[in-house]
Amino acid sequence: MTEALLTALSWLLLAGGLLFFAAGSIGLLRFPDACSRLHALTKADALGLGLVVAGLICRADGPLTVARPLLIWLLLLASSATACLLLARLVREERDDG
């Protein structure tokens, strides 16, 4: 019974993660300017990956298999925020110059 609930929760989280990935990709293609595209892409993808990681953790069988996706998610959060900040700063500087 518990195994079936964990499997259902895992699939639900994985599907939610894919939905957020799709929403971020659509935002990247549809939004009008660079800042709103960055916002859609970084926020939706970070949340989507968090849901995918939570779905994978439900299927994990040991502490190492739990720690590895969590570490990947934390590294992605840090790198995504940093890259978004640098790209937004570059866009703002180009607007101010031109």
Side-chain angles (χ1 to χ4, degrees):
M1 178 69 179
T2 305
E3 186 69 28
L5 284 175
L6 278 176
T7 302
L9 179 65
S10 172
W11 280 114
L12 186 66
L13 290 169
L14 289 171
L18 291 177
L19 182 70
F20 275 96
F21 275 124
S25 298
I26 290 171
L28 176 68
L29 296 174
R30 302 281 301 191
F31 282 162
D33 62 347
C35 288
S36 59
R37 288 179 182 166
L38 283 173
H39 178 76
L41 191 62
T42 55
K43 304 301 183 225
D45 282 355
L47 184 58
L49 184 61
L51 289 174
V52 168
V53 165
L56 292 176
I57 286 173
C58 290
R59 295 170 178 243
D61 56 352
L64 185 61
T65 54
V66 170
R68 197 175 319 157
L70 279 177
L71 181 63
I72 291 170
W73 184 48
L74 291 175
L75 288 173
L76 181 114
L77 286 177
S79 66
S80 172
T82 304
C84 180
L85 177 71
L86 292 173
L87 286 171
R89 186 178 296 168
L90 179 67
V91 167
R92 190 180 68 193
E93 287 175 0
E94 287 181 356
R95 275 190 204 158
D96 292 341
D97 290 340

